[in-house]
Amino acid sequence: MRKPIIAGNWKMNLGRVEEALEFVRQIRSPLYEVENVDRVICPPFTVLAALAEVIQANKIGLGAQNIHWEESGAHTGDISGPMIAALCQYVIIGHSERRAIGGAGESDEAIHKKVQAALNHGLTPIICVGENLTQKEAGETQAFVSGQVRAALTGLDQDQISTCVLAYEPIWAIGTGQAATAVDANSIIGLTIRGTIAETFGESAAQQVRVQYGGSVNVGNIAEYMSMPEIDGALVGGASLKPEFVELVKQASLTS
Ligand code: PEP
């Protein structure tokens, strides 16, 4: 049995300490009470330390939104594994917004190094994969997503893979209100993501790894995703910035 996991990706929002604390004080008590679902919030770096002080880490996980693979050095603007691990339990890696940045985004190779760094420092990576609209329309989704999964996980052993979380996030569904259907997301996650992991790393790793769906998930559609056998939760952007995030997590716990 895989325990579902709902993670809120705040992106570049609620990054001032006062506003982040105010929001977290609203949502933390009801989130503490939810059972059977891991819940995680991933705010901007600027508020990680303040939030680490006010949430109970065994009840709400804290995650960063990026990591550098080196431990220290001349990497202006980056944050390393030891720095993150001092505050957090999770880190989002390879979000499409980071893969894309102005043509200078993160390569599959960089993402792989970040995954390795996260694991080396005891962090759970939430590894994002997903196709864009052109690839979807050209029928390239399976090949593209499978390549991203292989590249991110290459060289890891079965135990390491089973501690990772993957997030299937079709780019055309992120922030657009055009969520993938639960049936389609279930199929890509089962056949393509778990299928690729099974082929490359073995069936046991494929069955143990948790895979979320992400892309316009909200309180109205979370139950449908959670009812799918291959979907183990959600990576949530916009809806994680509002008090409705609590309701979304509760729904996930009821339907998982
Ligand atoms: C995301 O940023 O990972 C995401 C899924 O965003 P949204 O829920 O807003 O589509």
Side-chain angles (χ1 to χ4, degrees):
M1 262 307 261
R2 299 180 297 260
K3 189 173 185 192
I5 172 166
I6 305 288
N9 174 15
W10 290 11
K11 311 192 187 193
M12 198 168 68
N13 296 294
L14 297 178
R16 285 179 292 126
V17 170
E18 278 317 311
E19 60 184 354
L21 284 174
E22 190 187 331
F23 180 55
V24 162
R25 285 187 180 121
Q26 274 181 63
I27 63 171
R28 68 183 167 179
S29 298
L31 281 183
Y32 288 162
E33 284 157 26
V34 180
E35 286 176 356
N36 309 322
V37 175
D38 285 339
R39 50 272 182 201
V40 180
I41 53 175
C42 303
F45 289 132
T46 46
V47 299
L48 285 175
L51 296 190
E53 299 259 310
V54 301
I55 56 178
Q56 294 176 29
N58 60 340
K59 295 192 172 167
I60 300 177
L62 197 56
Q65 296 175 17
N66 191 20
I67 181 173
H68 196 282
W69 55 86
E70 298 286 353
E71 297 200 357
S72 61
H75 300 286
T76 303
D78 276 312
I79 315 275
S80 73
M83 299 173 193
I84 295 169
L87 301 167
C88 299
Q89 303 78 43
Y90 296 84
V91 57
I92 297 173
I93 296 178
H95 192 281
S96 59
E97 288 155 14
R98 296 209 56 82
R99 290 184 190 255
I101 306 172
E106 296 176 0
S107 63
D108 276 345
E109 193 195 348
I111 287 159
H112 171 62
K113 290 199 273 188
K114 290 175 180 217
V115 170
Q116 190 77 67
L119 292 168
N120 289 347
H121 293 286
L123 293 159
T124 299
I126 299 176
I127 307 163
C128 304
V129 297
E131 81 287 358
N132 65 27
L133 191 56
T134 313
Q135 290 161 328
K136 174 182 158 64
E137 288 175 347
E140 294 168 0
T141 298
Q142 279 87 345
F144 182 74
V145 169
S146 176
Q148 287 184 317
V149 170
R150 264 197 204 96
L153 302 181
T154 187
L156 302 186
D157 63 34
Q158 284 203 9
D159 287 347
Q160 288 176 311
I161 290 172
S162 53
T163 65
C164 292
V165 174
L166 277 92
Y168 169 54
E169 294 215 305
I171 295 170
W172 47 268
I174 296 178
T176 59
Q178 311 236 288
T181 67
V183 169
D184 285 351
N186 188 65
S187 159
I188 301 288
I189 290 173
L191 297 177
T192 305
I193 298 182
R194 284 194 212 287
T196 300
I197 296 174
E199 245 171 52
T200 319
F201 307 98
E203 189 59 35
S204 145
Q207 287 311 318
Q208 286 180 63
V209 71
R210 294 186 290 178
V211 189
Q212 302 171 310
Y213 165 72
S216 299
V217 173
N218 58 44
V219 72
N221 61 20
I222 184 66
E224 221 180 323
Y225 295 109
M226 297 307 296
S227 70
M228 293 287 149
E230 303 290 355
I231 303 180
D232 304 318
L235 182 55
V236 184
S240 72
L241 296 168
K242 304 176 204 143
E244 77 170 68
F245 184 62
V246 172
E247 195 49 44
L248 192 157
V249 175
K250 283 187 186 164
Q251 289 275 328
S253 135
L254 292 175
T255 44
S256 61

